[in-house]
Amino acid sequence: MDRSRTPVRVRRTSRSRRTGLLASLAAALTAAFTGAPPAQAATPPPAAVSCPAELDGKATCYTGQDADGAYYAIAVPEHWNGSLVVHAHGGPDLGTGSDPARSVDDLARWSVMVKEGYAWAGSSYRRGGYGTRMAAEDTENVRRLFVANFGKPRRTYVHGQSWGGDVAAKVVEVYGRRGGPYDGALLTSGVLGGGSRGYDYRVDLRVVYQYYCHNMPRPTEPQYPLWQGLRADSTLTTAGLRARLQECTGYASAPRERTALQQRNLDDILAVTGAPERTLESHLRFAVFTFRDIVHDRLGDRDPFSNEGVWYSGSHDDKALNAGVERFAADPTAVRDLSYDSDLTGKVSIPVLTMHAIDDPTAFVEHESAYRATLRGAGRDRYLVQTFTHESEHSSLSDAEYANAIAALDGWVRTGKKPTPRTIADSCAAFDRTYATGCFYDPDFHPASYASRVRPRPGGLSWPAMTAAQAKRWSRIAGVGIAP
């Protein structure tokens, strides 16, 4: 690697680390609002800044903004092993521009990678809102920026978390050819069902919620089709959504404090949709606000969702529910554009290791079944190893497991010897002696099919949802997909 291109390191301070990081970006933000040349005019080199507290004395950290306007953060450990982890964050966040704090926060959150000796680079993406291919391009851009300023790493791994798992999987398919810039991928808690099918359970939640609650919209408010999530000009806030959910179900109250109707509404909604009670509000937020972003801001008010042919069951009166729930059919061009942007083809040519909590309440573990079926359908499942843990979180699993996972992937790439869920589980104890966060692997676990958790739409049982050949044909259509 070319260490001669590494910028001069600066001494870190132990005070006000996060404040210093954000303050160092303030000048860039000020320039943007005072008529300075746009980011495309010049791309300044990464600026050395104070590291997050988790990396004090362990690394040198940098931030900056790329040519497309995406803020990023980079860390190079004091004892660098020569390899790089490029991180794709989850979400998507719904802000209009790139959030300079996001990549800094992600660096702190994934500091375990740096502690293990890997350099780390993460993009905040050039804007908020949905756009998997855009986020994949921004992830690739930060990798290129790292190489331009620090030299080519020995090996490069892409890591995606949550929706970032879909982003990183898209990086693998678009940029991860054999002999290309990426050597392997780690997908943790990934939303791996793709956009055209991966949100069907939230479509179901949206219509089932409205059937029981009648308050989003209320009968006295302007009406709109529920596939929009929320009408474009609505001023509803997340606090307002929580208030309406509480009004209908009493979800935030102790069971003894709910009315009989609230309890029945809550029971029916949970039973029919399969949403865990503890994440009901976050799933509904996505089905309201993120659906609005997808439909209105990204697809020009075209409907990519359908619930035609779906039979809802588990309520106290399924017949009445199915007779009264709102139905709609998708616009084929909207389905095409969402699919092209975020569905996966399974065209994988490098090792991919996944890790998922069995009781993940946000990205259900059955997403892993969809991903395996996708690679199997493409004849590429030999590149995949999946691991599962007895944990009940989505946002963060055990640091010992993350350290173990990146080491297992690195060993696979270096030696060519494919690990098994059992060998990965057995190797975790060595890392837990350092991190003391526990090892919870279940090497014998196999998730049920995606259709066992999410009611399939007609034609929705075969994988991949979008073949590589189909993606190639669609790529020739002007304006296909979601604009950056």
Side-chain angles (χ1 to χ4, degrees), residues 127-455:
R127 62 159 172 78
Y130 205 84
T132 303
R133 284 182 180 265
M134 173 204 72
E137 182 179 346
D138 290 341
T139 301
E140 165 63 2
N141 285 344
V142 79
R143 183 201 66 81
R144 294 182 182 184
L145 193 147
F146 182 94
V147 172
N149 288 275
F150 300 89
K152 184 179 179 181
R154 291 195 186 105
R155 286 170 289 277
T156 300
Y157 304 113
V158 60
H159 170 223
Q161 166 75 17
S162 189
W163 177 60
D166 188 43
V167 174
K170 185 67 75 174
V171 168
V172 169
E173 294 184 357
V174 175
Y175 306 103
R177 65 191 181 280
R178 184 184 292 274
Y182 295 93
D183 298 282
L186 175 62
L187 313 179
T188 57
S189 309
V191 180
L192 300 174
S196 72
R197 298 179 188 175
Y199 305 125
D200 282 345
Y201 63 97
R202 285 169 172 157
V203 172
D204 296 337
L205 173 61
R206 188 68 182 90
V207 299
V208 170
Y209 173 86
Q210 183 65 8
Y211 171 80
Y212 288 111
C213 298
H214 309 290
N215 66 7
M216 208 151 37
R218 301 184 190 278
T220 56
E221 295 175 329
Q223 302 298 293
Y224 54 89
L226 297 181
W227 50 263
Q228 291 183 351
L230 188 66
R231 75 178 196 274
D233 60 349
S234 174
T235 58
L236 183 73
T237 63
T238 55
L241 180 147
R242 287 192 291 268
R244 295 188 189 207
L245 178 59
Q246 172 68 9
E247 169 192 294
C248 176
T249 68
Y251 82 106
S253 301
R256 65 180 180 276
E257 297 173 350
R258 298 170 187 153
T259 68
L261 179 58
Q262 284 177 328
Q263 187 64 61
R264 192 178 76 172
N265 287 342
L266 181 61
D267 290 344
D268 279 343
I269 291 169
L270 297 178
V272 173
T273 65
E277 184 172 347
R278 63 193 172 109
T279 52
L280 175 61
E281 184 262 335
S282 66
H283 283 296
L284 187 60
R285 268 192 286 117
F286 194 105
V288 172
F289 298 110
T290 306
F291 275 16
R292 177 171 65 175
D293 174 81
I294 292 172
V295 169
H296 179 69
D297 295 325
R298 312 303 158 201
L299 295 175
D301 294 312
R302 292 173 294 144
D303 174 17
F305 305 123
S306 171
N307 67 341
E308 283 193 329
V310 175
W311 177 261
Y312 297 107
S313 61
S315 72
H316 77 280
D317 189 341
D318 290 346
K319 185 176 180 180
L321 170 61
N322 283 278
V325 74
E326 184 174 319
R327 303 280 181 177
F328 37 83
D331 178 332
T333 66
V335 176
R336 177 202 66 198
D337 287 351
L338 183 58
S339 179
Y340 180 75
D341 179 75
S342 59
D343 281 347
L344 301 171
T345 67
K347 190 177 180 181
V348 169
S349 303
I350 60 175
V352 178
L353 175 64
T354 74
M355 183 169 68
H356 216 118
I358 294 171
D359 192 27
D360 187 324
T362 300
F364 304 138
V365 72
E366 288 81 7
H367 275 274
E368 297 288 340
S369 297
Y371 191 56
R372 176 167 286 281
T374 295
L375 268 64
R376 183 179 293 124
R380 302 296 181 97
D381 53 323
R382 65 187 179 277
Y383 292 106
L384 178 65
V385 174
Q386 293 174 299
T387 62
F388 303 94
T389 70
H390 281 294
E391 290 171 277
S392 302
E393 297 299 327
H394 171 69
S395 295
S396 58
L397 305 181
S398 162
D399 272 359
E401 292 168 348
Y402 286 120
N404 183 49
I406 193 65
L409 177 63
D410 183 59
W412 182 5
V413 169
R414 285 187 295 101
T415 67
K417 184 177 180 180
K418 185 177 181 179
T420 68
R422 177 71 61 183
T423 60
I424 293 173
D426 290 345
S427 63
C428 184
F431 294 93
D432 199 40
R433 285 194 285 273
T434 297
Y435 295 101
T437 52
C439 296
F440 307 99
Y441 289 98
D442 182 346
D444 298 317
F445 179 80
H446 299 282
S449 70
Y450 189 71
S452 71
R453 186 65 180 258
V454 181
R455 290 176 171 83

Side-chain angles (χ1 to χ4, degrees), residues 31-106:
F33 287 108
T34 56
Q40 289 78 1
T43 305
V49 294
S50 299
C51 284
E54 292 83 352
L55 294 176
D56 185 36
K58 298 180 177 68
T60 305
C61 298
Y62 308 84
T63 59
Q65 188 176 22
D66 73 15
D68 291 314
Y71 288 99
Y72 63 84
I74 289 172
V76 180
E78 293 293 336
H79 303 288
W80 185 19
N81 64 17
S83 292
L84 169 68
V85 172
V86 183
H87 178 73
H89 76 68
D93 300 333
L94 295 182
T96 55
S98 183
D99 178 7
R102 179 64 199 244
S103 55
V104 173
D105 290 343
D106 287 340

